[in-house]
Amino acid sequence: MSQLRHILRFLGLAFAVANAGAAELSLANADSEAGRIFARAFLPRDYLGGHAIHAITQGTDGVVYLGCPGAVVAFDGQLWSRLEVPGTVVSLAAGSEGEVFVAADSGFYLLRRQTLGRRVLVPLESPPGLTTVPAGARPSQAYWMRNEFRVALGGRLLAWAGGHWRSIPLPDASTAELYRLPESLIVRVPGRAMFEWADGEPRRLPDDPVLLASRGLHVVRDTAGLLARSDDGRAFRPEGARWREEPSPLVAFFRTMPFRRALRLSNGCDAYILPGDGGVLVPLPNGQVWRIDYKRGMIDSNVNCVFEDAANQLWIGSNYE
């Protein structure tokens, strides 16, 4: 319990947990002295959301945004507001001047805040080469990086800044995934190739059958360089023209329940999204784990996204069943 209190204290003693579906949103606060976690529930009529939360981000003004089917929901710490969006919002990214990039299955939009706190949604023109989006294609996770919004869709890397798109086609790709590093993005074309995208054209990384086939992936840069982790917890580092596997204690955690996606937290730990009713798993430095799942009354099943806000609160968006 002391290790649990330590990580909660490091993260600011509060975790916000977002559940959607019949969709409720709860705010979980940790009492570091008693070692307890409390949850405050927000019902659908409170936060105005839909049956799922697919994306979470925070603007420079501290407002937290949730991406739901048909809407972006904003929370300023006291009040909720809802802005209608055609289709389902798949990912969100906040820029440096308060704007929020909205990627939906219906297209791309920019959410701007005007005077008196009013928010408007501005549709963006179609990216070059994507006037028609391939059937079933959905945007990847979007990011604000190097003064532009970046996203992948339909086998292309897309960057939007200053009212213009930049489009980079990926060879033999119908889809691509993006993973954030401090100064670049890792691009994975499942089953085919991996790249690192900093400025200009992406740089091809060595191929590895395990990393390319893994259903989940987590990539970080630590003091030893680039580290990629497959969904079963195995760890790999690039070495020349290949990836070298190194011992990983996390294999014991993910051997029977592979993770889907992960987030590097500000305290250096990683929060892993597990499939189904697995919830979120945070391995601790001492070998123990901290876990949020429906059995502990914190969230419902099918977690879709995890986000750490400026106050070091952890928001978890899920479906409600």
Side-chain angles (χ1 to χ4, degrees):
M1 185 62 70
S2 61
Q3 184 64 36
L4 172 62
R5 291 198 297 267
H6 170 75
I7 187 173
L8 294 177
R9 183 180 298 115
F10 196 99
L11 287 174
L13 304 183
F15 288 83
V17 182
N19 303 324
E24 64 179 17
L25 185 74
S26 61
L27 179 66
N29 294 287
D31 181 337
S32 62
E33 299 303 321
R36 296 191 296 267
I37 297 176
F38 303 97
R40 175 187 174 190
F42 298 90
L43 299 178
R45 63 176 179 270
D46 298 319
Y47 82 93
L48 312 173
H51 65 272
I53 296 175
H54 296 291
I56 307 172
T57 194
Q58 184 178 35
T60 54
D61 56 1
V63 174
V64 172
Y65 297 90
L66 310 179
C68 306
V72 172
V73 179
F75 181 57
D76 64 6
Q78 294 182 324
L79 300 176
W80 295 94
S81 60
R82 176 186 173 96
L83 195 65
E84 299 294 327
V85 178
T88 295
V89 176
V90 177
S91 61
L92 301 169
S96 61
E97 298 183 358
E99 73 276 37
V100 176
F101 181 83
V102 180
D105 57 10
S106 62
F108 299 108
Y109 307 85
L110 200 64
L111 191 155
R112 289 193 172 101
R113 187 170 184 175
Q114 298 183 325
T115 56
L116 302 178
R118 182 171 176 266
R119 296 176 178 86
V120 296
L121 191 71
V122 180
L124 301 181
E125 64 181 5
S126 298
L130 280 175
T131 53
T132 301
V133 177
R138 289 167 64 110
S140 71
Q141 174 62 49
Y143 296 100
W144 170 257
M145 175 166 286
R146 297 177 179 265
N147 298 315
E148 60 185 11
F149 291 107
R150 296 184 176 187
V151 67
L153 176 63
R156 288 176 178 265
L157 302 179
L158 305 171
W160 190 91
H164 302 285
W165 285 102
R166 197 159 53 91
S167 178
I168 304 174
L170 293 170
D172 301 321
S174 59
T175 185
E177 305 162 351
L178 301 184
Y179 301 87
R180 185 187 181 94
L181 295 175
E183 297 296 332
S184 64
L185 296 176
I186 296 298
V187 181
R188 184 176 73 149
V189 179
R192 294 185 179 275
M194 289 178 64
F195 305 84
E196 183 170 10
W197 184 19
D199 286 324
E201 297 291 318
R203 177 178 65 90
R204 182 78 179 254
L205 295 174
D207 294 338
D208 183 89
V210 174
L211 296 177
L212 293 179
S214 178
R215 296 187 63 183
L217 187 70
H218 184 39
V219 187
V220 298
R221 194 181 299 279
D222 57 20
T223 56
L226 194 63
L227 174 70
R229 195 176 297 281
S230 58
D231 60 357
D232 56 2
R234 297 164 66 183
F236 300 83
R237 293 189 186 276
E239 186 178 76
R242 67 184 185 93
W243 290 84
R244 172 181 54 83
E245 185 173 0
E246 62 180 35
S248 171
L250 297 189
V251 172
F253 297 133
F254 301 118
R255 181 184 296 111
T256 58
M257 187 176 288
F259 71 85
R260 288 167 38 209
R261 202 171 177 96
L263 172 71
R264 170 56 57 95
L265 303 176
S266 59
N267 67 350
C269 292
D270 296 308
Y272 292 90
I273 297 175
L274 303 179
D277 57 14
V280 176
L281 191 73
V282 183
L284 304 176
N286 66 355
Q288 298 179 346
V289 296
W290 184 73
R291 188 166 181 174
I292 306 175
D293 63 17
Y294 81 103
K295 294 179 181 178
R296 292 159 177 80
M298 299 294 294
I299 61 173
D300 290 284
S301 61
N302 299 318
V303 172
N304 296 320
C305 54
V306 179
F307 176 78
E308 184 181 4
D309 67 17
N312 303 121
Q313 298 183 118
L314 190 66
W315 295 74
I316 301 174
S318 70
N319 299 336
Y320 181 89
E321 295 183 354

